[in-house]
């Protein structure tokens, strides 16, 4: 059974710092991995999708990597801004199901 | 495009009442997902449809929960009778294909069962 873990549960960093969020999964047989952002009281917004054949995807200040063999993905945020404060969730697609991690709550201090 | 539209935004009801949540997926998307989010359990997949057909309902917690998709532009999630432990945020999401494309989420329905 696929399990997705995100550590730490919460992270606070000062504005301007680069940071890395982590996601791990137990079954490497995945179709893809997605990173989402969730603001309080809102739905999830897809940030990046990495297909199983890819190693990374980039969008603006965000870069997501995927290492299937080790069951890990990272989301790198460059030059963090207060507007980046949100909960970030990763989700893996395997066995025709999309399984979410519990998220990392990120706070960027001005 | 208006995105995935869910209604109502908030629902407060009493234990034992029937609750119906509604979802309109993005036009052209043929996969639709219902998720439930709680602090304790995170995001749980309840059921998903492909081309209006339920593919996997193994996440539906009990017979009190049922979901329908009568056409490509509308789905409902019904709870009858509702219980306090059903209190959660219920999200609907859609994608162009079941598993290989980005998921687009609605804003959710905050359900409180008293």
């Amino acid at each position: 059974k696929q399990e997705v873990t995100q550590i730490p549960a919460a992270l606070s960093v000062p504005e301007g710092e680069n940071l890395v969020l982590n996601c791990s999964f137990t079954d490497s047989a995945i179709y893809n991995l997605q990173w989402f952002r969730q603001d309080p009281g809102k739905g999830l917004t897809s940030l990046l999708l990495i297909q199983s054949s890819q190693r990374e995807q980039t969008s603006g200040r965000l870069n997501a990597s995927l290492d299937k063999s080790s069951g890990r993905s990272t989301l790198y945020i460059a030059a963090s801004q207060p507007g980046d404060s949100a909960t970030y969730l990763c989700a893996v697609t395997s066995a025709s199901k999309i399984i979410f991690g519990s998220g990392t709550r990120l706070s960027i201090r001005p | 495009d208006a995105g995935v539209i869910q209604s109502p935004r908030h629902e407060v009801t009493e234990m034992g009442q029937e609750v119906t949540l509604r979802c309109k997926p993005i036009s052209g998307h043929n996969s639709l997902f219902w998720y439930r989010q709680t602090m304790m359990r995170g995001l749980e997949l309840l059921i998903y449809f492909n081309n209006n057909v339920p593919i996997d309902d193994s996440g539906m917690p009990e017979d009190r929960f049922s979901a329908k998709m009568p056409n490509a532009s509308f789905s409902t999630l019904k709870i009858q009778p509702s219980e306090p432990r059903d209190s959660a945020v219920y999200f609907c999401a859609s994608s162009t294909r079941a598993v290989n494309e980005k998921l687009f989420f609605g804003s959710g329905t905050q359900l409180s069962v008293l």
Side-chain angles (χ1 to χ4, degrees):
Chain A
K1 179 187 172 186
Q2 180 72 269
E3 292 182 4
V4 181
T5 303
Q6 292 184 249
I7 296 173
L11 181 65
S12 177
V13 300
E15 181 179 2
E17 279 200 4
N18 304 325
L19 60 99
V20 174
L21 305 180
N22 298 297
C23 172
S24 61
F25 47 95
T26 54
D27 185 351
S28 61
I30 65 172
Y31 292 113
N32 61 47
L33 183 145
Q34 296 187 59
W35 280 94
F36 293 85
R37 168 185 174 137
Q38 185 175 27
D39 293 286
K42 301 287 180 63
L44 283 72
T45 300
S46 181
L47 299 172
L48 291 164
L49 181 148
I50 311 176
Q51 300 291 356
S52 62
S53 58
Q54 298 173 322
R55 298 283 297 193
E56 65 177 346
Q57 282 286 325
T58 297
S59 175
R61 294 182 294 108
L62 306 180
N63 176 274
S65 68
L66 174 63
D67 184 342
K68 270 190 1 176
S69 61
S70 66
R72 281 189 266 187
S73 175
T74 61
L75 179 67
Y76 174 83
I77 303 178
S80 59
Q81 303 170 357
D84 295 331
S85 298
T87 297
Y88 291 80
L89 298 95
C90 68
V92 299
T93 303
S94 62
S96 299
K97 289 192 176 183
I98 302 172
I99 308 298
F100 282 82
S102 54
T104 294
R105 189 171 66 253
L106 176 65
S107 175
I108 307 298
R109 307 190 298 270
Chain B
D1 196 320
V4 177
I5 299 173
Q6 290 187 248
S7 65
R9 189 76 176 88
H10 301 276
E11 176 80 31
V12 181
T13 190
E14 291 187 346
M15 182 174 63
Q17 296 297 306
E18 176 179 298
V19 175
T20 299
L21 311 181
R22 296 173 176 80
C23 176
K24 177 179 167 55
I26 293 173
S27 177
H29 283 191
N30 54 19
S31 295
L32 183 141
F33 305 77
W34 282 102
Y35 283 90
R36 177 171 68 177
Q37 187 176 40
T38 61
M39 287 292 292
M40 290 297 294
R41 301 171 71 96
L43 263 171
E44 301 173 281
L45 176 65
L46 300 177
I47 185 171
Y48 84 86
F49 295 85
N50 197 36
N51 294 321
N52 311 339
V53 176
I55 302 300
D56 187 343
D57 65 354
S58 60
M60 296 286 262
E62 300 169 31
D63 290 345
R64 298 184 296 105
F65 285 69
S66 63
K68 293 182 180 179
M69 192 164 186
N71 56 63
S73 60
F74 184 65
S75 176
T76 60
L77 178 68
K78 185 178 292 186
I79 309 172
Q80 165 64 19
S82 57
E83 297 182 4
R85 61 195 167 115
D86 301 331
S87 298
V89 181
Y90 290 81
F91 287 105
C92 175
S94 70
S95 70
T96 54
R97 286 189 292 171
V99 296
N100 260 358
E101 302 295 333
K102 280 188 176 183
L103 270 183
F104 293 83
F105 278 76
S107 298
T109 295
Q110 173 78 58
L111 173 64
S112 297
V113 183
L114 306 177

